[in-house]
Amino acid sequence: MPSTIPNFFRVRQTFERPQVTDIPRSIQDAIEQSGLSKRVTPGQSVAITVGSRGIANIASITKSIVNSILAMQAKPFIVPAMGSHGGATAEGQTQVLAELGITQESMGCEIRSSMETVEVCQAIEGFPIHFDSNAFNADHVLVVNRIKPHTRFVGPVESGLMKMMLIGLGKHQGAIVYHRVIQNYTFDQIVRSVAREVIQRCRIVAGIAILENGYEETAKIVGMPASQIDSVEPQLLDEVRRLLPKLPFDHAELLIIDEIGKNISGTGMDTNVIGRKSNDRAAIGDELPRIHHIYVRSLSKQTQGNGSGIGIAEMCHERLLKQLDIQKTRI
């Protein structure tokens, strides 16, 4: 008998959609909230962190921050704060920034990319804390990052400013250390322990947090002094959780994903959306959605062959295997 093709129908979802329409104005407000202008004096250097994730308007946001610091007659420079991404090389991380539209020419300031770190101190748990050498030698460090739920860990602090001080500014050496010790301690304990030492010892002057809506648009930009990061970030994470997009069904036999990549999520595909946050093979406990099979069709161009997270899927297209850079994925 001929097989029967099931009926198909389209589903259109709508999500809450707060949106920042004036990036320079919002950055100026965030700078004022952070108290940056009261801490930075003319001639001082300010390291600005930029990560590797596909953050909406990141070039405009970074440029507006640079302009605000230049207006203070200070000396801004940009530091790639992305752990092991870009093949764990200084050149690779500079290239990642360029693909985000962030170059020395477009930003009007220097980009200082290096994989060298300073061993700041020992955490109370007994492991070394690493920090980007260029940022360590700046008069001030301004931590800029998007706040969002982590793809693996659950707690009051997940992915954001504090994680950037841990993994992003820890570079490859820090990422190796922290990913090991997180096996023995909770993520919340490690991220707070490292952030506390980094804020005290590495001249963190302030943080600027970026929130996105379910359409991957800038929803809100918030500035805060360094002393308030650990108390404000959990509040912002709660806001983002409310804005997070969801699949339209709690159960499905097959989920087809067009592309995955590190620019999309730390696990290539966002486990906060597809499920499997605690287990690669299936949703566990009361986790939703519950997807039986995941099929991935390709890697994003921006991920540059890094297929981290592909192991979550049961199936993939041959195209993806040809795009895969095994060395970058292993790192």
Side-chain angles (χ1 to χ4, degrees), residues 325-331:
D325 185 318
I326 294 297
Q327 181 65 11
K328 286 185 178 179
T329 304
R330 284 173 175 162
I331 290 174

Side-chain angles (χ1 to χ4, degrees), residues 274-277 279-291:
I274 67 166
R276 306 189 182 188
K277 184 163 180 169
N279 186 304
D280 289 348
R281 300 271 55 86
I284 59 175
D286 58 358
E287 183 183 20
L288 295 173
R290 305 182 83 85
I291 307 298

Side-chain angles (χ1 to χ4, degrees), residues 117-135:
T117 62
V118 173
E119 190 173 313
V120 177
C121 65
Q122 291 280 314
I124 59 173
E125 292 82 4
F127 59 85
I129 293 177
H130 290 266
F131 195 80
D132 179 275
S133 59
N134 286 315

Side-chain angles (χ1 to χ4, degrees), residues 1 24 28 30 34 41 44 56 77 90 100 186 189 199 210 223 229 242 258 260 266 269 314 321-322 327:
M1 292 180 62
Q28 193 56 48
S34 72
T41 58
Q44 288 188 319
F77 67 90
L100 296 174
T186 66
Q189 178 180 347
I199 288 172
I210 304 161
I229 290 176
R242 192 181 69 249
D258 280 341
I260 66 170
M269 54 194 107
E314 280 73 34
L321 299 178
K322 293 178 179 178
Q327 181 65 11

Side-chain angles (χ1 to χ4, degrees), residues 237-296:
L237 180 59
D238 286 340
E239 285 190 47
V240 175
R241 284 196 180 106
R242 192 181 69 249
L243 298 173
L244 195 70
K246 304 290 184 184
L247 294 181
F249 303 105
D250 288 341
H251 299 80
E253 286 299 314
L254 175 66
L255 173 66
I256 301 174
I257 300 178
D258 280 341
E259 62 179 24
I260 66 170
K262 294 292 284 189
N263 61 302
I264 297 169
S265 174
T267 48
M269 54 194 107
D270 195 337
T271 55
N272 294 289
V273 177
I274 67 166
R276 306 189 182 188
K277 184 163 180 169
S278 301
N279 186 304
D280 289 348
R281 300 271 55 86
I284 59 175
D286 58 358
E287 183 183 20
L288 295 173
R290 305 182 83 85
I291 307 298
H292 191 225
H293 285 95
I294 295 176
Y295 166 53
V296 180

